[in-house]
Coordinates of all heavy atoms in Angstrom, one line a residue:
A90 N 68.0 120.5 87.4 CA 68.3 119.3 88.2 C 69.6 119.4 88.8 O 69.9 119.2 90.0 CB 68.1 118.0 87.4
T91 N 70.6 119.9 88.0 CA 72.1 120.0 88.5 C 72.2 121.0 89.6 O 72.8 120.8 90.6 CB 72.9 120.3 87.3 OG1 72.9 119.2 86.4 CG2 74.4 120.4 87.8
R92 N 71.6 122.2 89.4 CA 71.7 123.2 90.3 C 70.9 123.1 91.6 O 71.3 123.5 92.6 CB 71.2 124.5 89.6 CG 72.1 125.1 88.5 CD 71.6 126.3 87.9 NE 71.7 127.5 88.9 CZ 70.9 128.6 88.7 NH1 70.3 128.8 87.6 NH2 71.1 129.6 89.6
F93 N 69.8 122.3 91.4 CA 68.9 122.1 92.6 C 69.5 121.1 93.6 O 69.3 121.2 94.8 CB 67.5 121.7 92.1 CG 66.4 121.8 93.1 CD1 66.0 123.1 93.5 CD2 65.7 120.7 93.7 CE1 64.9 123.2 94.5 CE2 64.7 120.9 94.6 CZ 64.3 122.1 95.0
A94 N 70.2 120.1 93.1 CA 70.8 119.1 93.8 C 71.8 119.6 94.8 O 72.7 120.4 94.5 CB 71.3 118.0 92.9
K95 N 71.9 119.0 96.0 CA 72.9 119.3 97.0 C 74.2 118.7 96.4 O 75.3 119.3 96.4 CB 72.6 118.7 98.4 CG 73.6 119.0 99.4 CD 73.1 118.5 100.8 CE 74.2 118.9 101.8 NZ 73.7 118.6 103.2
V96 N 74.0 117.4 95.9 CA 75.1 116.7 95.3 C 74.6 116.0 94.1 O 73.6 115.2 94.2 CB 75.8 115.7 96.2 CG1 76.9 114.9 95.5 CG2 76.3 116.3 97.5
A97 N 75.1 116.2 92.9 CA 74.6 115.5 91.7 C 74.8 114.0 91.8 O 75.9 113.5 92.3 CB 75.3 116.1 90.5
T98 N 73.9 113.2 91.2 CA 74.1 111.8 91.2 C 75.3 111.5 90.2 O 75.6 112.2 89.3 CB 72.8 111.1 90.7 OG1 73.1 109.7 90.6 CG2 72.3 111.6 89.4
T99 N 75.9 110.3 90.4 CA 77.0 109.9 89.4 C 76.3 109.1 88.3 O 77.1 108.6 87.5 CB 78.0 109.0 90.3 OG1 77.3 107.9 90.7 CG2 78.6 109.8 91.3
H100 N 75.0 109.0 88.2 CA 74.4 108.3 87.0 C 74.9 108.9 85.8 O 75.0 110.2 85.6 CB 72.9 108.4 87.1 CG 72.2 107.4 86.2 ND1 72.1 107.7 84.8 CD2 71.5 106.3 86.5 CE1 71.5 106.7 84.3 NE2 71.0 105.9 85.2
S101 N 75.3 108.1 84.8 CA 75.9 108.6 83.6 C 74.9 109.4 82.7 O 75.5 110.3 81.9 CB 76.4 107.4 82.7 OG 75.4 106.6 82.4
D102 N 73.7 109.4 82.9 CA 72.6 110.1 82.1 C 72.2 111.4 82.8 O 71.6 112.2 82.2 CB 71.5 109.3 81.8 CG 71.8 108.3 80.7 OD1 72.5 108.6 79.8 OD2 71.1 107.2 80.7
F103 N 72.7 111.6 84.0 CA 72.1 112.8 84.7 C 72.5 114.1 84.2 O 71.6 115.0 83.9 CB 72.6 112.8 86.2 CG 72.0 113.8 87.0 CD1 70.6 113.8 87.5 CD2 72.7 114.9 87.5 CE1 70.0 114.8 88.2 CE2 72.1 115.9 88.3 CZ 70.8 115.8 88.6
A104 N 73.8 114.2 83.7 CA 74.2 115.5 83.2 C 73.6 115.9 81.9 O 73.3 117.1 81.6 CB 75.8 115.5 83.0
R105 N 73.3 114.9 81.0 CA 72.6 115.2 79.8 C 71.1 115.2 79.8 O 70.4 115.7 79.0 CB 73.1 114.3 78.6 CG 72.7 112.9 78.7 CD 73.3 112.0 77.6 NE 72.7 110.7 77.5 CZ 71.7 110.4 76.7 NH1 71.1 111.4 75.9 NH2 71.2 109.2 76.8
Y106 N 70.5 114.6 80.9 CA 69.1 114.7 81.1 C 68.3 114.3 79.9 O 67.5 115.2 79.3 CB 68.6 116.0 81.8 CG 67.7 115.8 82.9 CD1 68.2 115.5 84.2 CD2 66.3 115.9 82.8 CE1 67.3 115.3 85.2 CE2 65.4 115.7 83.8 CZ 66.0 115.4 85.1 OH 65.2 115.2 86.2
P107 N 68.4 113.1 79.4 CA 67.7 112.7 78.2 C 66.1 112.7 78.3 O 65.6 112.9 79.5 CB 68.2 111.2 78.0 CG 68.5 110.8 79.4 CD 69.0 111.9 80.1
T108 N 65.5 112.4 77.3 CA 64.0 112.5 77.3 C 63.4 111.6 78.4 O 63.9 110.4 78.5 CB 63.4 112.2 76.0 OG1 63.9 110.9 75.5 CG2 63.6 113.3 74.9
C109 N 62.5 112.1 79.1 CA 61.8 111.3 80.2 C 62.7 111.1 81.4 O 62.3 110.3 82.3 CB 61.1 110.1 79.7 SG 59.3 110.0 80.3
A110 N 63.8 111.6 81.4 CA 64.6 111.4 82.7 C 63.9 112.0 83.8 O 63.2 113.1 83.7 CB 66.0 112.2 82.5
T111 N 63.9 111.4 85.0 CA 63.1 111.9 86.2 C 64.0 111.8 87.5 O 64.6 110.7 87.7 CB 61.8 110.9 86.3 OG1 61.1 111.0 85.1 CG2 61.0 111.4 87.4
T112 N 64.0 112.9 88.1 CA 64.7 112.9 89.4 C 63.7 113.2 90.5 O 62.8 114.0 90.4 CB 65.8 114.1 89.3 OG1 66.5 113.9 88.3 CG2 66.6 114.0 90.6
V113 N 63.9 112.6 91.7 CA 63.1 112.8 92.8 C 64.0 113.5 93.9 O 65.0 112.8 94.2 CB 62.4 111.5 93.4 CG1 61.6 111.8 94.6 CG2 61.6 110.9 92.3
F114 N 63.6 114.6 94.4 CA 64.3 115.3 95.4 C 63.6 115.3 96.7 O 62.4 115.6 96.8 CB 64.6 116.8 95.0 CG 65.4 116.9 93.8 CD1 64.8 117.1 92.5 CD2 66.8 117.1 93.9 CE1 65.7 117.3 91.4 CE2 67.6 117.3 92.8 CZ 67.0 117.5 91.5
D115 N 64.4 115.3 97.8 CA 63.9 115.7 99.1 C 64.2 117.1 99.3 O 65.4 117.6 99.2 CB 64.7 114.8 100.2 CG 64.2 115.1 101.6 OD1 63.1 115.7 101.8 OD2 64.9 114.7 102.5
V116 N 63.1 117.9 99.4 CA 63.4 119.4 99.5 C 63.6 119.9 100.9 O 62.9 119.6 101.8 CB 62.1 120.1 99.0 CG1 62.2 121.6 99.0 CG2 61.8 119.7 97.5
K117 N 64.7 120.7 101.0 CA 65.2 121.1 102.4 C 64.7 122.5 102.5 O 65.5 123.5 102.8 CB 66.7 121.1 102.4 CG 67.3 119.6 102.3 CD 66.7 118.9 103.5 CE 67.1 117.5 103.5 NZ 66.4 116.6 104.5
A118 N 63.4 122.6 102.5 CA 62.8 124.0 102.8 C 61.4 123.6 103.5 O 60.8 122.5 103.2 CB 62.6 124.8 101.6
S119 N 60.9 124.5 104.3 CA 59.6 124.2 104.9 C 58.4 124.7 104.0 O 57.3 124.3 104.2 CB 59.5 124.8 106.2 OG 59.7 126.2 106.2
S120 N 58.7 125.5 103.1 CA 57.7 125.9 102.1 C 58.3 126.2 100.7 O 59.5 126.4 100.6 CB 57.0 127.3 102.5 OG 57.9 128.3 102.3
W121 N 57.5 126.0 99.7 CA 58.0 126.2 98.3 C 58.6 127.5 98.1 O 59.5 127.7 97.3 CB 56.9 125.8 97.3 CG 56.5 124.4 97.3 CD1 55.4 123.9 97.7 CD2 57.4 123.3 96.8 NE1 55.4 122.5 97.6 CE2 56.6 122.1 97.0 CE3 58.6 123.2 96.3 CZ2 57.1 120.9 96.7 CZ3 59.1 122.0 95.9 CH2 58.4 120.8 96.2
S122 N 58.1 128.6 98.7 CA 58.6 129.9 98.5 C 60.0 130.0 99.0 O 60.8 131.0 98.6 CB 57.8 130.9 99.2 OG 57.7 130.8 100.5
D123 N 60.5 129.2 99.8 CA 61.9 129.2 100.4 C 62.8 128.2 99.7 O 64.0 128.2 100.2 CB 61.8 128.9 101.9 CG 61.0 129.9 102.7 OD1 61.0 131.1 102.3 OD2 60.3 129.5 103.8
V124 N 62.4 127.5 98.7 CA 63.4 126.5 98.1 C 64.5 127.3 97.5 O 64.4 128.4 96.9 CB 62.7 125.6 97.1 CG1 61.7 124.7 97.8 CG2 62.1 126.3 95.9
K125 N 65.7 126.7 97.5 CA 66.9 127.2 96.9 C 67.7 126.1 96.1 O 67.6 125.0 96.4 CB 67.8 127.7 98.0 CG 67.3 128.9 98.8 CD 68.1 129.3 99.9 CE 67.4 130.5 100.7 NZ 68.0 130.6 102.0
F126 N 68.5 126.7 95.2 CA 69.5 125.8 94.5 C 70.5 125.3 95.5 O 70.9 125.9 96.5 CB 70.2 126.5 93.4 CG 69.2 126.8 92.2 CD1 69.1 128.1 91.8 CD2 68.6 125.8 91.6 CE1 68.2 128.4 90.7 CE2 67.8 126.0 90.4 CZ 67.6 127.3 90.1
G127 N 71.0 124.1 95.2 CA 72.1 123.6 95.9 C 72.0 122.9 97.3 O 72.9 122.6 98.0
E128 N 70.8 122.8 97.7 CA 70.4 122.3 99.1 C 69.7 121.0 99.2 O 69.4 120.5 100.3 CB 69.6 123.4 99.8 CG 70.4 124.7 100.0 CD 69.5 125.7 100.8 OE1 68.3 125.4 101.0 OE2 70.1 126.7 101.2
N129 N 69.3 120.4 98.0 CA 68.3 119.3 98.1 C 68.8 117.9 97.7 O 69.3 117.8 96.6 CB 67.1 119.7 97.1 CG 66.7 121.2 97.5 OD1 66.0 121.4 98.5 ND2 67.1 122.2 96.7
P130 N 68.8 117.0 98.6 CA 69.3 115.7 98.2 C 68.5 114.9 97.2 O 67.3 115.0 97.2 CB 69.2 114.9 99.6 CG 69.0 115.9 100.7 CD 68.4 117.1 100.0
I131 N 69.1 114.2 96.3 CA 68.4 113.3 95.3 C 68.1 112.1 96.0 O 68.9 111.4 96.5 CB 69.3 113.1 94.1 CG1 69.5 114.5 93.4 CG2 68.7 112.1 93.2 CD1 70.6 114.3 92.2
L132 N 66.8 111.8 95.9 CA 66.3 110.5 96.4 C 66.4 109.3 95.4 O 66.6 108.2 95.7 CB 64.9 110.6 96.9 CG 64.6 111.5 98.1 CD1 63.1 111.5 98.3 CD2 65.4 111.1 99.4
N133 N 66.1 109.7 94.1 CA 66.2 108.7 93.1 C 66.3 109.4 91.8 O 65.9 110.6 91.6 CB 64.9 107.9 93.2 CG 65.1 106.5 92.8 OD1 66.0 106.1 92.0 ND2 64.3 105.5 93.4
F134 N 66.8 108.6 90.8 CA 67.0 109.2 89.4 C 66.7 108.0 88.5 O 67.2 106.9 88.8 CB 68.3 109.7 89.1 CG 68.5 110.2 87.7 CD1 68.0 111.3 87.2 CD2 69.3 109.4 86.8 CE1 68.2 111.6 85.8 CE2 69.5 109.7 85.5 CZ 68.9 110.8 85.1
C135 N 66.0 108.2 87.4 CA 65.6 107.1 86.5 C 65.6 107.6 85.0 O 65.0 108.8 84.8 CB 64.3 106.4 86.9 SG 63.9 105.0 85.9
V136 N 66.0 106.8 84.1 CA 65.8 107.0 82.7 C 64.9 105.8 82.2 O 65.1 104.7 82.7 CB 66.9 107.3 81.9 CG1 67.6 108.6 82.3 CG2 67.9 106.1 82.1

């Protein structure tokens, strides 16, 4: 989650990623085979 995000969320639980933590990303690639770390905005995060 940390590596995939373009910018990590400031949510206090994001770095430790507790049980059932869930992140939704907008993927900045046209196909899954082209996805890369560090390019994808976080749309939402929840614990």
Side-chain angles (χ1 to χ4, degrees):
T91 300
R92 292 180 66 195
F93 199 68
K95 183 174 184 174
V96 177
T98 178
T99 58
H100 192 288
S101 61
D102 283 327
F103 187 72
R105 68 183 192 94
Y106 225 78
T108 53
C109 224
T111 303
T112 308
V113 181
F114 293 94
D115 182 17
V116 177
K117 293 301 177 191
S119 57
S120 73
W121 290 109
S122 62
D123 296 330
V124 296
K125 295 178 184 163
F126 288 123
E128 297 183 349
N129 310 286
I131 294 174
L132 297 177
N133 215 331
F134 175 77
C135 184
V136 291

